[in-house]
Amino acid sequence: MRLLAIDTALANCAAAVIDNDAGSACFEACAEEIGRGHAERLMDMIGEVMAETSTPFSSLDRVAVTIGPGSFTGMRVGLAVARGFGLVLGKPVVGITTLAAIARSAAPGDAGAPLLVALTGKGDEVYCQQFDASGAPAGQAGVLTFADLAANLPEGIRLAGSAAEKVAGECGISADRILSRRGFPCIRDVAELGITADPARSSPSPLYLRPPDATPQTKGRIERQ
């Protein structure tokens, strides 16, 4: 299978082509911590990885894209591009959560204590999900406060993600339980998860864990007659 992977959900902007018929050869283009400007960078990155791997778009079997949690604007950029390719090429598009991709690289695979991937949210909130030591989901993604986590985290939990250090401090967890402080996934992990994802269960739809902050405008609205 030859797959194009796209990630614009967080501060990263990245694209990769992976071919698991060629020993999982993967070529990546990545701009870390760009904050904004995903739309301006993404298409150039896609062109770069397609050219470097001599991959015509018609030979792609699938597209994978990160669906959040993450930046509303960033997610929409990646999703729009991925869906557009899927529609034009007639190929399946699968959605990969940023939490699962971070877990894939951070999970130690030692059959030990579970892993909590925690991303920085608003105020005392974190976007998080538990995974087992192999990186498989062990619960649903959600929004929790530090107080919630302190009361419910299992003994020996290990941590990864941009909020890992804060969770450790707030919940009295030793710093040596932090496996990664990475705030965005590696594009190769997104690509490899995309290869094994079931298109029927991995929809390319944004994962919203909390409602938007914006409220409908009422002042100055023109009423219909």
Side-chain angles (χ1 to χ4, degrees), residues 69-70 72 75 120-127 141-144 207-214:
F72 175 85
M75 280 194 297
T120 303
K122 293 184 177 293
D124 67 345
E125 294 178 341
V126 293
Y127 307 131
V143 182
L144 295 175
L207 175 63
Y208 296 130
L209 298 182
R210 68 193 310 275
D213 293 330

Side-chain angles (χ1 to χ4, degrees), residues 40 43 87 96 122 136 209:
E40 292 79 9
M43 293 307 297
L87 181 63
I96 305 299
K122 293 184 177 293
L209 298 182

Side-chain angles (χ1 to χ4, degrees), residues 11-14 28-35 41 45 182 184-186:
N12 193 33
C13 184
E28 310 167 16
C30 181
E32 299 183 356
E33 302 291 349
I34 67 169
R41 302 290 295 275
M45 289 182 174
R182 191 179 179 94
F184 50 84
C186 171

Side-chain angles (χ1 to χ4, degrees), residues 64-68 94-101 189-191 193-195 197 202-203:
V65 60
T66 46
I67 60 172
V94 294
I96 305 299
T97 72
T98 53
L99 298 168
D189 291 313
V190 176
L193 286 172
I195 287 176
S202 303
S203 172

Side-chain angles (χ1 to χ4, degrees), residues 14-27:
V17 170
I18 189 169
D19 187 349
N20 69 341
D21 293 327
S24 293
C26 183
F27 186 87

